[in-house]
């Protein structure tokens, strides 16, 4: 039987009393402290406050549309009832704003980080990310990680003058690394941030050392896990891949609703009024156990992993080589130029600031940008367009199969 926990009566009373006297959290990030590369542009006003601007900019970046056909976990199913990244970022935003609202944090900053955190994700989820990283590293010695690439999309490909605080939250969201406590780091300049980003490209272990510089970034980071942990189970059951009894029910519960509610309650209970985010030991261990079970029962599905290795990997390899050849040729009648370089150039037509022209950023990086930007369907269609006799393909499980 499902069990939903509640905030203690003492804390509920305190929160209501604090609200009645208009208490403000001293650890919330203030709009007036926002940092942009171009501080003279995108100044806040009454109808477009500081971080609301970031959310709107992110939503109007062309790649935001592509969330709708990017794999969350299950790639090879035609089923509108399972999650895609478009839904995932909304769920993260909603859960994180719920927590942020009660803690008295900056909800607009939380929303901006949430909506942008996966915009650099590859087609075919973490399998696509792993394959693209290997191809990129093989040729350049640099590493590809989707959270780092999300920053690149918003700060190096499409120049929208997104704030330091939003970009840092996106960079540090690493939803694969859970912590019992999240303590924001000190960082106030783009000089520090750019070094932080570059270290991720050259040091494979640096991803595990990232810490957000705001409480809002910390909230979004744990909510990335909360949002997918139970939802992935729900999707797996929707596809008849497993049944709910497959999971143990620890302190956080086993179902999507229990997990979301109970982790929210525990985080608020242990974090209200503090300069850091915390869950208690029992809940943290239950979270770790739930993630472990998801990996063992869902993510390590042999059938799906065989499809990734036998079909998707060779398609990535073929597309990478062909697009790299087109990029290095410099010819303007290629798919690569017409469908990628031209689009990026057009998207930056009104961009303000001092940045390196996209055409000068190197063919390997440009190819990675293009491949990472693709939806699952775009990727497959491009493969068949460029290789009409190619032997690799994906057969989707339909609604009635």
């Amino acid at each position: 039987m499902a069990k939903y926990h509640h905030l203690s009566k003492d804390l509920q009373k305190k929160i209501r009393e604090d609200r009645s006297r208009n208490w403000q959290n001293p650890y919330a990030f203030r709009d007036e402290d926002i940092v942009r590369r171009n501080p003279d542009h995108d100044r806040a006003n009454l109808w477009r406050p500081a971080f609301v601007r970031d959310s709107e900019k992110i939503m109007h970046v062309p790649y935001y549309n592509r969330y709708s056909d990017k794999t969350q976990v299950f790639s090879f199913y035609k089923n509108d009832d399972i999650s895609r990244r478009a839904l995932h970022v909304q769920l993260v935003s909603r859960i994180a704003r719920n927590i942020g609202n009660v803690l008295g944090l900056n909800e607009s900053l939380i929303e901006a980080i949430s909506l942008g955190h996966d915009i650099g994700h590859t087609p075919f989820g973490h399998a696509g990310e792993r394959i693209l990283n290997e191809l990129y590293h093989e040729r350049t010695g640099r590493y590809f990680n989707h959270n780092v690439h999300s920053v690149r999309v918003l700060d190096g490909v499409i120049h929208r003058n997104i704030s330091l605080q939003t970009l840092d939250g996106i960079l540090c969201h690493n939803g694969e690394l859970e912590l019992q406590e999240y303590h924001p780091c000190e960082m106030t300049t783009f000089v520090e941030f750019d070094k932080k980003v570059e270290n991720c490209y050259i040091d494979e272990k640096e991803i595990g050392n990232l810490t957000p510089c705001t409480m809002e970034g910390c909230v979004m980071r744990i909510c990335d896990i909360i949002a997918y942990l139970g939802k992935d189970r729900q999707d797996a059951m929707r596809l008849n891949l497993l049944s709910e009894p497959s999971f143990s029910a620890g302190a956080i519960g086993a179902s999507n609703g229990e997990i979301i509610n109970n982790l929210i309650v525990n985080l608020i209970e242990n974090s209200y009024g503090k300069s850091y985010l915390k869950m208690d030991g029992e809940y943290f261990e239950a979270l770790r156990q739930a993630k472990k079970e998801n990996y063992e029962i869902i993510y390590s599905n042999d059938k799906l992993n065989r499809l990734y290795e036998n079909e998707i990997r060779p398609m990535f390899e073929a597309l990478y080589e062909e697009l790299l050849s087109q990029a290095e040729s410099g010819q303007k009648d290629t798919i690569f130029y017409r469908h990628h370089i031209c689009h990026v150039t057009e998207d930056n037509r009104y961009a303000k600031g001092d940045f390196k022209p996209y055409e000068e950023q190197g063919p390997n990086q440009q190819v990675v940008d293009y491949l990472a930007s693709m939806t699952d369907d775009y990727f497959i269609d491009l493969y068949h367009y460029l290789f009409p006799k190619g032997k690799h393909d994906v057969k989707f499980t339909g609604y009635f199969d």
Side-chain angles (χ1 to χ4, degrees):
M1 182 176 177
K3 185 176 181 181
Y4 292 85
H5 305 162
H6 302 275
L7 288 175
S8 66
K9 290 182 179 180
D10 286 346
L11 182 58
Q12 290 188 55
K13 180 181 177 182
K14 177 172 175 51
I15 291 171
R16 290 191 176 99
E17 289 174 348
D18 285 346
R19 287 181 174 182
S20 71
R21 60 185 178 85
N22 297 315
W23 172 81
Q24 292 186 342
N25 189 338
Y27 306 112
F29 194 86
R30 303 186 309 165
D31 277 14
E32 52 266 40
D33 293 331
I34 193 171
V35 177
R36 297 192 188 277
R37 289 195 188 276
N38 184 351
D40 297 325
H41 192 55
D42 298 304
R43 292 184 180 275
N45 53 38
L46 286 174
W47 59 98
R48 291 188 73 204
F51 294 108
V52 169
R53 286 176 174 266
D54 279 2
S55 288
E56 291 175 349
K57 286 170 177 289
I58 290 166
M59 293 176 76
H60 288 288
V61 167
Y63 294 156
Y64 188 86
N65 289 17
R66 299 190 182 186
Y67 271 140
S68 62
D69 186 41
K70 287 195 183 229
T71 289
Q72 180 61 19
V73 173
F74 302 102
S75 296
F76 308 114
Y77 294 86
K78 288 190 178 297
N79 190 320
D80 293 335
D81 292 330
I82 62 172
S83 305
R84 311 297 280 179
R85 293 215 173 265
L87 176 60
H88 170 69
V89 299
Q90 292 177 58
L91 293 175
V92 172
S93 178
R94 182 63 270 161
I95 296 166
R97 282 183 291 144
N98 282 351
I99 295 173
N101 175 267
V102 181
L103 295 183
L105 299 175
N106 191 323
E107 289 185 64
S108 293
L109 173 54
I110 287 173
E111 180 181 36
I113 298 169
S114 300
L115 294 180
H117 80 275
D118 272 352
I119 203 164
H121 219 302
T122 59
F124 301 103
H126 287 289
E129 178 180 16
R130 182 178 64 252
I131 295 166
L132 188 54
N133 172 54
E134 291 169 6
L135 293 170
Y136 182 53
H137 182 69
E138 203 174 89
R139 290 157 180 79
T140 67
R142 292 166 70 80
Y143 296 95
F144 175 92
N145 290 279
H146 80 272
N147 52 321
V148 183
H149 194 67
S150 291
V151 169
R152 174 167 168 75
V153 168
L154 297 169
D155 194 45
V157 179
I158 310 297
H159 299 275
R160 290 294 183 269
N161 202 29
I162 302 294
S163 72
L164 170 67
Q165 289 71 35
T166 295
L167 291 172
D168 180 74
I170 290 171
L171 176 69
C172 299
H173 82 260
N174 192 351
E176 299 307 303
L177 181 63
E178 68 277 4
L179 298 171
Q180 186 175 348
E181 295 183 9
Y182 294 84
H183 294 258
C185 71
E186 291 287 337
M187 191 184 68
T188 58
T189 69
F190 269 104
V191 172
E192 298 167 279
F193 176 73
D194 290 342
K195 183 177 180 180
K196 198 172 178 180
V197 172
E198 179 59 20
N199 286 343
C200 293
Y201 281 109
I202 61 178
D203 184 349
E204 187 176 20
K205 297 179 180 178
E206 190 63 23
I207 288 293
N209 298 326
L210 295 175
T211 304
C213 69
T214 63
M215 275 286 285
E216 290 77 6
C218 292
V219 168
M220 182 270 144
R221 176 164 159 171
I222 184 59
C223 288
D224 188 27
I225 302 175
I226 297 172
Y228 73 66
L229 200 57
K231 196 68 173 70
D232 291 353
R233 297 177 174 197
Q234 195 175 69
D235 287 347
M237 287 183 279
R238 173 79 66 174
L239 296 172
N240 297 315
L241 296 178
L242 52 86
S243 58
E244 193 164 4
S246 303
F247 301 101
S248 59
I252 64 173
S255 70
N256 189 38
E258 288 177 296
I259 289 170
I260 292 172
N261 176 79
N262 296 342
L263 280 170
I264 286 176
V265 166
N266 195 257
L267 282 162
I268 293 171
E269 192 75 48
N270 287 283
S271 308
Y272 188 78
K274 294 177 180 173
S275 62
Y276 59 95
L277 200 65
K278 178 184 178 180
M279 68 187 85
D280 67 30
E282 183 184 8
Y283 281 70
F284 179 62
E285 288 306 317
L287 172 70
R288 296 182 69 182
Q289 177 62 26
K291 273 192 64 183
K292 182 173 180 287
E293 289 180 356
N294 274 26
Y295 273 94
E296 292 172 349
I297 299 170
I298 302 174
Y299 311 143
S300 299
N301 185 297
D302 288 338
K303 180 181 176 182
L304 294 180
N305 289 333
R306 281 196 301 272
L307 282 169
Y308 287 131
E309 289 302 310
N310 297 337
E311 301 298 333
I312 300 303
R313 179 181 290 277
M315 293 166 81
F316 258 105
E317 291 170 348
L319 283 172
Y320 196 113
E321 288 305 317
E322 173 58 27
L323 293 172
L324 184 61
S325 175
Q326 292 185 13
E328 290 175 338
S329 75
Q331 296 179 13
K332 298 187 177 183
D333 60 348
T334 60
I335 286 287
F336 177 76
Y337 189 87
R338 289 185 287 112
H339 287 263
H340 180 58
I341 298 292
C342 282
H343 286 191
V344 172
T345 302
E346 176 63 24
D347 291 335
N348 284 319
R349 178 187 291 186
Y350 302 109
K352 292 177 169 47
D354 182 23
F355 51 84
K356 188 176 183 180
Y358 189 69
E359 291 189 19
E360 299 176 12
Q361 294 188 21
N364 272 288
Q365 184 61 70
Q366 292 167 344
V367 169
V368 166
D369 292 342
Y370 189 25
L371 285 168
S373 77
M374 295 177 189
T375 65
D376 296 8
D377 285 347
Y378 189 126
F379 177 93
I380 293 168
D381 286 354
L382 181 60
Y383 173 81
H384 289 305
Y385 181 84
L386 292 176
F387 305 100
K389 296 182 179 180
K391 62 180 181 179
H392 298 286
D393 198 8
V394 173
K395 185 181 186 305
F396 289 87
T397 300
Y399 286 97
F400 312 108
D401 294 336

